[in-house]
Each structure stands twice: as C-alpha cells, then as structure tokens.
Amino acid sequence: MRQVIFSIVLLFSTTAIIAQSAVGKWKTIDDKTGRVKSVVEITERNGLLYGKVIQLFRLPEEDQNPKCWECEDDRKGKLVMGMEILRDMKWDGSMYKGGTICDPKNGSIYSCEMWLKPGDSNTLEVRGYWGWVFRTQTWTRTK
C-alpha cells in the first residue's frame, strides 16, 4: 500500500514539475499590435532552453518566407522559419535567464529573461533587455 501511495505522489509531483516548465510550443504575441506572429518551440538541451520558430503568421502583403538579413551572427541570411531565436536560457529557481533572444525582424540580439505567469503555466512572459531598457511580450502555450 505504501508503494502505491508513493507512486501516486511521485506521479503528481512529476506532472506538476512538467507543467511548470517552459518547454513546449508557444504562440508569440506582438506587444505593439496584439497580433499572433509565430509559434516558437522551446526545447531543453544539456539543462538549457532553446527556442526555434516552427510556424509564422504573415499578413498577405508581408514576405511569406523571410530571411534575417540584418542578423550579424550565424543567423545572417537564414530563413526565419526554423531559426533558433532563443538560446542558452537557464533556470535560476524563479525564472529563466542568462541567455539571449533574437528579433529576426531587425536582427537585434537581446539578453533575455522569461518566467511563467504565477498560477498560469500557459502564459510565458518573455523580456528582452538592451542595457536597462526592456520590452516584454506575453506568449501563450499552444498544442
């Protein structure tokens, strides 16, 4: 009986930990227009999180398959679709930080912090910093 109870407790604990992780697929919402821009899939490698664009939502007048010509690193001239825009994010006990996020629209790379909204594992706050200036976007979990 103790083994059964222990197994149930372990199962619920593991489920709670997974639910609190940023690993998964996220709709990115433009903080200026409120429009869904893309879906980013966040994965874990060697204890760090990385995010790759897996879907774009483009207006008819926009380039349907854009490249990041303004990027100045290994992403220069690469397609935005499939691009790793989030790199080296590490959990510090309260949020993910220490990594970077790339805005493929202008090629800028920002230091980044992100955290799940308290009490809501389906909302991810993503903040990019340029010095002390920052911009925050709210991403929503998707399937």
Side-chain angles (χ1 to χ4, degrees), residues 42-113:
I42 297 177
T43 57
E44 184 268 331
R45 290 192 317 256
N46 300 319
L48 300 175
L49 297 188
Y50 298 83
K52 177 172 66 169
V53 177
I54 62 168
Q55 187 174 5
L56 289 172
F57 299 96
R58 309 290 288 172
L59 296 174
E61 65 272 12
E62 293 178 313
D63 181 355
Q64 297 302 304
N65 206 14
K67 292 183 178 180
C68 188
W69 294 112
E70 292 79 18
C71 288
E72 296 183 3
D73 61 3
D74 62 294
R75 295 172 269 221
K76 184 170 184 70
K78 301 284 171 88
L79 291 171
V80 174
M81 179 65 82
M83 180 180 287
E84 188 176 77
I85 62 165
L86 192 65
R87 292 181 173 171
D88 302 319
M89 300 299 295
K90 184 175 182 175
W91 179 251
D92 79 347
S94 62
M95 69 172 60
Y96 298 92
K97 58 199 285 187
T100 60
I101 189 163
C102 175
D103 182 347
K105 189 171 185 176
N106 61 25
S108 296
I109 298 173
Y110 305 96
S111 57
C112 185
E113 294 178 345

